[in-house]
Amino acid sequence: MQKVSLRDAYGDTLIELGKKDDRIVVLDADLSGSTKSGKFGKVFPERFFNMGIAEINMINTAAGLATTGKIVFASTFAIFATGRAWEAVRQMVCYPELNVKIVCTHGGITVGEDGATHQALEDVANMRNIPNMRVVVPADDIETKQVIEKVAYTDGPFYVRLTREKFPRIFDENYKFEIGKGYVLRSGEDVTVVANGLETSFALEAAEILEKEGISVEVIHMPTVKPIDRELIAESASRTGAVVTAEEHSIIGGLGSAVAEAIVETVPVPVERVGTPDTFGRSGKGWELVKYYKLDASGIIEKIRKILERKKR
Amino acid sequence: MIRFEPQFFMERNRDIDNSTLRAIAREVRKDILKMTTNVNSGHPGGSMSVADILVTLYYYKMRHNPDNPKWEERDRFVLSKGHVSPALYSVLARCGYFSVEDLMTFRKIDGNLQGHPDMLKTPGIEISTGSLGLGIGAAVGMALGLKLSGFDSRVYCVIGDGEAQEGSVWEASMAAFHYNLDNLCVILDNNNLQIDGPVDEVMSIYPAMEKWKAFGWHVIEINGHDFNEIRAALDEADTVKYKPTMIVAKTVKGKGVSFMENRAEWHGKALSPEQLKEALKELGELV
């Protein structure tokens, strides 16, 4: 399977948007080479502001720029924008509903060797809990491009979470991203897997493996964690009677929690969550860590087997 | 009380005299005390210290349009020390952004004057503030955005001296110099009192002037209750090129009411109805 960089898709899409619209302004906090926002800076130096290693001020400045009619993209590593600058995001961006799009890279465990201090495993939870904030976690480069275009022209705050590692490509050019919508990538009858980000491709892989055993897995890709597609979750859960969530994030507060909330309020069925446990990550290669924390296809399969047992009872 | 037409506010540097500014500031101080006592909540002390500065900004210096709060060419004001919202609400009401009667809805559940300024609820508020240390960064963003759009509008921001203990104030100060924001003028409301006591006892920010000078700013020190000095400093800021201006305004917390002046206890406490009567008498109101 072809592996593609979500970060490069982000940087390239910014340039495309910048060519068409001079309201597009981009900020970074000394990581523009890694986040790829620097690509925009090379083409439009007058509309790119490196704010230095000062993430709180980057968010405040983004808010101020937005009040002057700019469409502002602010980027850094996920942990710094959603952790250190959380309060600035809450007070200065979300409370006044300003047109600031926080697009972070290096979300999740695949940040790798840098270890716990740089692995954002709580970022989706931190952003999901703020009123007016919408949270999107794309699964490949094609979707990333569409997400960036869509959030640019949808008023108000967004958090888009990208990862460092290259992802397998899932979608083709016919794909149409819509905010708040889930996508059934594979229909099934025995269990529903709801995944996003890197985990969507692992969920598809798991479904394929289990099909050979006669287990029919429905795979839903859920790029928008907030607002979440409750209707689709309820509809699928009512048919399969069991739901497994999968995300490259702590099992606390992210996609798994959002899906579980939707399930208990609509069609209560057993839920199992694939994600990192309530712990800080370790250093290691990205793909080693994915295996270590059972975020790969075999980790999803393990949870599917567990929930099929629970379903029988 | 002198009334001005909205057009009056759409130019800079007009010939309003000091006695008029003083008369308006006196009304503003009365408003502050009435508003906070009415709801038995709010921050009268710092509101009183910043009143003269806000009146000079809105009546003398800034270009704005109470008839059209979103007028593109307006100057912007950011109240980074958002807890002194009563002073700003009073000035906005008296400029005509909303009615003076609305001031009595301050902090009330069915009103639109929140405890701290909310840009979505109150006309004339440029950005929501209240959590200290964040507003000055937003002012930096506004100044950048206005330059980028080719407007000669200026951005004014008031920060507190206790607020300057926040690290994000210095992040913003660094950025404002780095990006040569000569359209940004920040005023430090230097009353030297924060909730827990004198600023230099809680956590010294001094020498404040030298700190901002070292950050590359043009720094002016003034008496924040002397209208000549406030006007002169704001005019001087207009002439500074390639760097932002910091006006360190020496002020008195609770200014205008003898028993409130220089006392930290009035930071976040309203006067009792009896104390309000006394205070209004001192401010020249017939009660």
Side-chain angles (χ1 to χ4, degrees):
Chain A
M1 206 180 266
Q2 187 190 357
K3 287 203 174 176
V4 290
S5 162
L6 277 57
R7 293 187 274 156
D8 281 312
Y10 169 50
D12 295 339
T13 309
L14 282 180
I15 294 172
E16 282 179 34
L17 290 174
K19 280 180 187 160
K20 285 182 272 185
D21 191 338
D22 63 8
R23 290 175 300 168
I24 304 284
V25 171
V26 179
L27 308 183
D28 205 298
D30 193 42
L31 289 168
S32 63
S34 295
T35 65
K36 306 295 180 190
S37 74
K39 287 185 171 199
F40 178 92
K42 288 212 172 68
V43 183
F44 305 105
E46 73 287 355
R47 280 189 271 150
F48 175 80
F49 300 102
N50 199 327
M51 301 311 293
I53 309 168
E55 293 81 10
I56 297 170
N57 189 51
M58 175 177 74
I59 297 297
N60 296 337
T61 303
L65 276 160
T67 66
T68 66
K70 308 298 177 198
I71 299 169
V72 191
F73 283 85
S75 293
T76 178
F77 288 3
I79 193 67
F80 305 127
T82 69
R84 177 172 310 196
W86 182 85
E87 201 219 351
V89 174
R90 177 185 187 271
Q91 316 280 24
M92 303 307 283
V93 172
C94 293
Y95 180 44
E97 286 192 74
L98 289 171
N99 231 350
V100 175
K101 323 298 173 183
I102 299 165
V103 182
C104 288
T105 63
H106 294 63
I109 198 79
T110 52
V111 167
E113 293 90 332
D114 279 339
T117 53
H118 287 58
Q119 295 160 344
L121 301 174
E122 312 86 358
D123 58 325
V124 172
N126 288 351
M127 293 294 102
R128 191 169 78 88
N129 64 18
I130 309 179
N132 295 335
M133 183 57 111
R134 286 154 291 182
V135 180
V136 186
V137 186
D140 75 0
D141 62 326
I142 288 173
E143 187 177 38
T144 299
K145 178 173 187 288
Q146 292 196 19
V147 168
I148 298 304
E149 288 169 346
K150 183 69 88 177
V151 304
Y153 291 104
T154 307
D155 271 348
F158 275 92
Y159 175 60
V160 180
R161 195 247 210 159
L162 308 177
T163 317
R164 174 188 170 193
E165 288 287 353
K166 289 189 172 175
F167 279 21
R169 182 176 279 169
I170 293 171
F171 300 108
D172 58 32
E173 300 294 344
N174 295 321
Y175 175 72
K176 282 275 169 291
F177 168 76
E178 279 179 53
I179 295 157
K181 201 169 167 322
Y183 300 86
V184 180
L185 301 186
R186 196 185 162 108
S187 303
E189 287 144 36
D190 300 327
V191 59
T192 303
V193 178
V194 184
N196 65 17
L198 183 52
E199 294 302 305
T200 296
S201 61
F202 287 129
L204 288 168
E205 196 184 326
E208 211 158 294
I209 293 167
L210 288 176
E211 190 180 25
K212 291 174 190 128
E213 293 180 24
I215 299 169
S216 167
V217 180
E218 179 146 305
V219 177
I220 293 177
H221 172 52
M222 190 64 72
T224 316
V225 180
K226 184 188 172 188
I228 202 155
D229 192 342
R230 289 164 65 93
E231 291 70 29
L232 180 62
I233 293 168
E235 188 276 319
S236 181
S238 67
R239 272 190 292 106
T240 63
V243 172
V244 171
T245 64
E247 62 194 312
E248 190 196 349
H249 183 275
S250 166
I251 56 165
I252 298 175
L255 175 70
S257 296
V259 170
E261 288 160 15
I263 296 260
V264 296
E265 288 168 0
T266 55
V267 182
V269 298
V271 175
E272 288 287 336
R273 292 168 294 161
V274 173
T276 56
D278 184 19
T279 181
F280 288 101
R282 318 170 49 87
S283 287
K285 296 228 173 294
W287 301 111
E288 289 173 351
L289 292 165
V290 162
K291 204 172 222 166
Y292 183 91
Y293 290 104
K294 299 185 175 179
L295 302 175
D296 58 357
S298 65
I300 296 174
I301 289 171
E302 202 177 290
K303 292 285 186 189
I304 291 175
R305 291 196 200 285
K306 189 174 169 197
I307 208 159
L308 290 175
E309 281 306 308
R310 284 179 64 192
K311 198 177 146 183
K312 271 187 217 156
R313 273 186 251 136
Chain B
M1 182 67 202
I2 312 129
R3 288 280 163 203
F4 297 93
E5 290 305 310
Q7 295 90 309
F8 170 87
F9 300 100
M10 291 172 68
E11 291 161 47
R12 292 181 191 136
N13 292 313
R14 66 186 66 75
D15 317 319
I16 188 167
D17 58 25
N18 285 351
S19 62
T20 308
L21 290 176
R22 198 169 296 118
I24 296 163
R26 198 176 302 126
E27 295 305 311
V28 167
R29 287 195 163 88
K30 291 185 212 163
D31 287 342
I32 291 167
L33 299 179
K34 289 179 193 170
M35 288 165 77
T36 47
T37 295
N38 181 50
V39 66
N40 192 25
S41 169
H43 299 79
S47 300
M48 302 285 272
S49 74
V50 82
D52 298 324
I53 293 162
L54 294 195
V55 167
T56 312
L57 278 169
Y58 275 86
Y59 279 83
Y60 168 70
K61 192 73 219 175
M62 279 169 37
R63 207 164 57 175
H64 60 112
N65 186 353
D67 267 357
N68 179 13
K70 298 285 175 198
W71 177 43
E72 263 195 330
E73 290 166 54
R74 72 195 186 278
D75 295 328
R76 310 297 206 272
F77 177 72
V78 177
L79 187 63
S80 197
K81 50 176 292 183
H83 56 277
V84 302
S85 56
L88 180 56
Y89 292 152
S90 166
V91 170
L92 289 175
R94 295 200 173 269
C95 286
Y97 283 88
F98 46 88
S99 80
V100 172
E101 288 72 52
D102 284 350
L103 293 176
M104 290 306 128
T105 68
F106 173 60
R107 291 193 169 220
K108 300 249 189 186
I109 195 160
D110 48 0
N112 285 324
L113 303 180
Q114 300 294 295
H116 295 81
D118 178 343
M119 68 182 286
L120 299 181
K121 293 200 178 72
T122 311
I125 300 295
E126 296 288 358
I127 190 158
S128 307
T129 53
S131 179
L132 294 178
L134 306 181
I136 182 174
V140 165
M142 282 180 196
L144 276 175
L146 291 169
K147 272 188 181 258
L148 207 50
S149 301
F151 289 113
D152 70 345
S153 307
R154 296 182 61 77
V155 179
Y156 296 92
C157 173
V158 165
I159 68 169
D161 44 15
E163 179 177 19
Q165 289 156 359
E166 288 282 4
S168 49
V169 167
W170 302 99
E171 294 181 3
S173 298
M174 208 182 302
F177 171 72
H178 182 83
Y179 284 110
N180 308 121
L181 298 180
D182 50 17
N183 57 344
L184 174 68
C185 176
V186 178
I187 300 120
L188 180 76
D189 180 23
N190 193 191
N191 61 34
N192 198 40
L193 283 174
Q194 57 191 112
I195 302 181
D196 275 357
V199 170
D200 45 5
E201 283 177 26
V202 175
M203 177 54 64
S204 179
I205 62 157
Y206 303 111
M209 285 185 68
E210 281 75 2
K211 282 196 172 82
W212 268 288
K213 274 183 193 159
F215 273 68
W217 289 51
H218 180 73
V219 186
I220 310 166
E221 191 179 48
I222 61 163
N223 172 350
H225 300 302
D226 182 318
F227 288 106
N228 281 333
E229 290 192 27
I230 302 171
R231 292 155 80 122
L234 292 172
D235 290 345
E236 184 178 326
D238 289 349
T239 67
V240 176
K241 291 283 165 240
Y242 308 115
K243 49 176 161 178
T245 295
M246 170 60 72
I247 299 172
V248 176
K250 297 281 177 195
T251 57
V252 173
K253 198 156 196 157
K255 175 73 178 177
V257 175
S258 58
F259 61 89
M260 291 180 77
E261 287 190 357
N262 279 319
R263 291 178 63 173
E265 63 179 282
W266 297 112
H267 176 91
K269 194 176 77 169
L271 303 182
S272 68
E274 294 70 37
Q275 289 167 323
L276 175 65
K277 250 186 200 172
E278 279 307 301
L280 292 178
K281 229 183 269 171
E282 279 196 35
L283 289 166
E285 180 156 305
L286 302 167
V287 279

